[in-house]
Amino acid sequence: MLIYALFASLWILLSDRAVTLLFQDVRSIAMASMLKGWLFVAVTALLLFGLIRRLAGGLQNTVEMLRQREKDLQESEGLLLESQRIAGLGSYV
């Protein structure tokens, strides 16, 4: 979050200075400001998309791992109960 705030602040500061250095008339400054705003939105949207996609992929992997561990645990419980039955022991589960 801090990196985004720093990036956004630098973008606004430096791009505004660049626009005022490159253009003198109000119409060109307004057009350049609008275009740099759209570019900022597009870049930010792409970065957010990539971040959310990566986080969602990690979450999906975690869910799959937990499902597999639950399945393994259920199999272990079944094996424990079967071995207790075979050994003639009581079940504590």
Side-chain angles (χ1 to χ4, degrees):
M1 191 65 159
L2 186 59
I3 293 172
Y4 174 77
L6 180 63
F7 170 75
S9 299
L10 285 174
W11 173 270
I12 292 168
L13 179 67
L14 297 176
S15 65
D16 281 346
R17 285 191 181 173
V19 166
T20 56
L21 289 174
L22 293 172
F23 303 101
Q24 273 63 43
D25 63 292
V26 175
R27 184 175 177 156
S28 295
I29 290 173
M31 179 61 78
S33 293
M34 183 175 58
L35 291 174
K36 74 179 186 70
W38 286 349
L39 180 62
F40 181 79
V41 169
V43 168
T44 301
L46 287 173
L47 290 173
L48 286 172
F49 175 78
L51 177 64
I52 290 169
R53 185 174 175 179
R54 189 183 75 173
L55 291 174
L59 182 59
Q60 182 62 34
N61 291 340
T62 301
V63 167
E64 289 173 15
M65 180 188 65
L66 288 173
R67 285 184 179 148
Q68 183 60 47
R69 287 187 178 177
E70 183 179 11
K71 180 182 173 188
D72 294 345
L73 185 59
Q74 288 172 350
E75 286 179 21
S76 296
E77 183 181 12
L79 290 172
L80 175 63
L81 291 172
E82 182 63 16
S83 16
Q84 286 174 337
R85 186 190 63 74
I86 292 170
L89 300 174
S91 175
Y92 300 102
V93 179

